[in-house]
Amino acid sequence: MTYDTFVMVDWSGGNDRGPAPTKDAVWACVAGQNPIYFRNRQLVEDWLIDLFTTELAAKRSVFAGFDFPFGYPAGFAKSVTGSADPFALWTWFANHITDTPKTNNRFDIAGDLNALSDGIGPFWANGLSRDIPNLPRKGRDRSSSPFPERRQVEASAKGSFTCWQMAGAGAVGSQVMMGLPVLHRLRAKFANDLRVWPFEDTSAAITIAEIWPTQFAGPAPDGMIKDAHQVQATAAYLASLPPTDFANLMNVDAPEEGWIFGVPQSKPPALRNDCFAMPQGAYWTPVAEALAHLQENLSPVTGQKEIKITRAAGRILAADVTAKRDHPPTPNSAVDGYAFAGPVDQGVHAVPLVDGRAAAGAPYAAPVPNGHAIRILTGAAMPRGTDTVVLQEDVTVDGTKILFHGPLKSGANARKAGEDMTTGQVILTSRRTLTAADLGTMAAAGIGHVTVRRKLRVGVLSTGDELAQAGHTARIDQIYDANRPMLCAVARQWGHKVIDLGCGPDNRDRLRAILTDAAKKCDVILTSGGASAGDEDHMSALLQDTGSLALWRVAMKPGRPLALGVWDGVPVFGLPGNPVAAMVCALVFAHPALSVLAGGDWSDPIGYPMPAAFSKTKKAGRREYMRARIEDGQVVAFGSEGSGRVSGLSWAGGLVELGDDAQSINHGDLVRYIPYESFGL
Ligand code: AMP
Ligand code: MG
C-alpha cells in the first residue's frame, strides 16, 4: 500500500464557469469515485481542506496530484525573490495574486514580472481585450528572456506547454499563477501533515505532487468531458501501482523547478558490481591494461541540467551544441573604410560617396547605387549594393568622392555571413569540458543555455589510527593526515564537487558505517590507507565483504595494490596510504576514471620528450613514475624515490614516466615528462 487515498485535480486559471459542468473548469476525482465538477477555484480549495481534514482524522494518508508546474524554469525564483527556493516563489504569488470567482489580476502580475527583466519577457499572451504594459500578445514579440523556455522535465514531456504562456488553448501559465497561492495556503494550513514532492521529504500523511493527466489517461469515452475522464483515470492508475514502482517514480532530484510525477528522470544506471573485476593471480597487471579496463567498464553516473552559458566554464557538456544562428549573421566589414560593389581594376578610381554611413549596430538601410561608395566602419553590416571595402588608409577623401588605387577583388575586406559558423552546425560535442573560449563561441552562435552534467560528488576519506588533523596537536606516535587535504584539492581542481568525509579509524564497523553514509551523498569515494591485504587493511576487507572487491596488483612504482569496489552502487577507489603513492595513483587512475564517471572524455595525459638530467637503470616488468621538474630545459628527478616523502610532490612540477621495459637511461637521453597540468592540475 502506498497511500490510502488518491485524489487528482485538473486545474483552471480562468474565472467562474457557471453551474453546468463544462470543460476548462476545475475537475477533481478521488480514486474509485466519480469526478466532481467545480465551477471555480474557491470551491475546490474548500473541498480539498474538508477532504484532507477528514482523511487525517481517519488516519488515512493522501496523495494529491495537481496538473500544473510547482516551479518555474531555473533562475526565475531567484530573480524574483532572491532565493532559488521554490516556496519563496509560492509565498510571493500568494502575496501578489488577488483572486475572486469573477476576476483576478494574473495578466497584470505577468506584466509586472516581465518589467523586472531587461527587455520584454519571459511571460506572454494576454487573454484580455485591454492592453497590459510589458505583456506582449505574441511569444515572438518578446525581446528578452533570461530564463530557459522550458523546465528540464518538459524536455521529456512532449506536447506540454511552457509556464510563460499565459493564455491560449492548453496554456498553463495562468494555471500556475492561480494555483500556487492555493497550494501555499494548503501547505500553511496543514503545516505538520503535508509535504510537497519533490521539494520535501514525503514522510508526512499528505503528499502533493505535480501530475500530467495526459500521460496516464487514454482518450475519454464518448460523451465524457476529457478533464473529468483524465482525473478519474489518473487517480485509478496511480492507486493501482505496486509500492516498488511507486517508489521508483518518487525518486527524483529537482530541487528548484520541480518535476512531473511519473516522468522518468534520465539518471544514468548505477555501475555494475563487477565493474572492477579483473583476472586475479600471481600476475601483476600492466598499467596500460589497468587503464584500458577502467576505460571500458566505467560510464557516466551523473544527471544533467540546463544552465546559463555564463556559468558554464569548466562544466561538462551533456549533449552536442549546435549553432542557433549564422556567425556572422550578415556580411559585414572587417575594416574601417568605404564600401562599394567590387571588383575594381588596376588604376586610380574616383567614386562618388552617398550621404550617410554604415556603422556596427547602426546599419545603412537604403541600397547603395551602382558606381557609388559609402563610409563604413568595422563590424557594420554591408549595405545592399556593396560587397567590397577599401581600407580608409588607402583612400583620399575629396569632398563628396573618394580616390584610391585598384585592383580590389570583390569581397575584399568583407566578412561573409556564416563564414565562422552556420545555423544548425555542431560547434561543440558532448563530453567536452567547456573552456572560456567555448563560452565566447556559444554566445556568438546565439546560445544562452547549455545542458551540462551535474557535478560529480567525490567523497574523500582518510583511514588510519595514526592520523592527526592538520593544525591540531599530535602525539609523537601520530602523523598528520596529508592525503585528505591533498586529494580534496585535487578532486576540486578536476572540477568535481568534493565531500570531505573526514578521517576514519582502523575499525571495520566504524568504516562500514562511514561508507554506508557516504554512499548516500557521493557518486564516487576516494579513500587512502588500509588498501592492501594486511591485518589492518580494513578498506580492502570491507570491499571484500560486498563481493565487489578487486584488489588490483598493478605493475607500477610507486603503488601498492589498489582496492577497487562498489559500495551500495557507488564506486570506491581505495588508494594506498603513502602520500606519494596515493597522489600518483590518483593522477594516473582516478583522473581519467573520474572524468568518465562525471560524463567527460577519457583523457590520456600529454607527455613531452625531454632530455634527462639524471642516469638510472630499471628492470623490466613495471612502469615507474618519478617526481621531476624542468630545469634549464632538462628533466631533473627528485633526490629520493622514497614514497613517504611528500615534500617531493611539492618540489616537482610533474612526473617522469619510465615504460614497462628494462631501461638504462643516461644523461641527455629523452624521457617522457608529464607536467601536473597534463593530469588536470
Ligand atoms: P597503509 O596503506 O594504511 O598501510 O598506510 C601506508 C603508509 O601511509 C603508512 O606509513 C601510513 O601511516 C601512511 N599514511 C596512511 N594514510 C595517510 C595519510 N592520510 N596521510 C599521511 N600518511 C598516511
Ligand atoms: Mg593504515
Side-chain angles (χ1 to χ4, degrees), residues 462-463 466-467 479-483 528-530 560 577-579:
S462 288
T463 69
E466 73 279 33
L467 299 179
I479 58 164
Y480 284 108
D481 176 3
N483 291 347
S528 66
R560 296 244 294 276
N578 266 314

Side-chain angles (χ1 to χ4, degrees), residues 23 53 61 69 73 122 166 169 306 439 447 489 503 539 547 590 599 629 639:
K23 69 188 187 74
T53 309
S61 59
M166 294 295 294
E306 196 180 81
L439 305 199
I447 291 152
C503 195
M539 197 49 69
R629 70 182 184 194

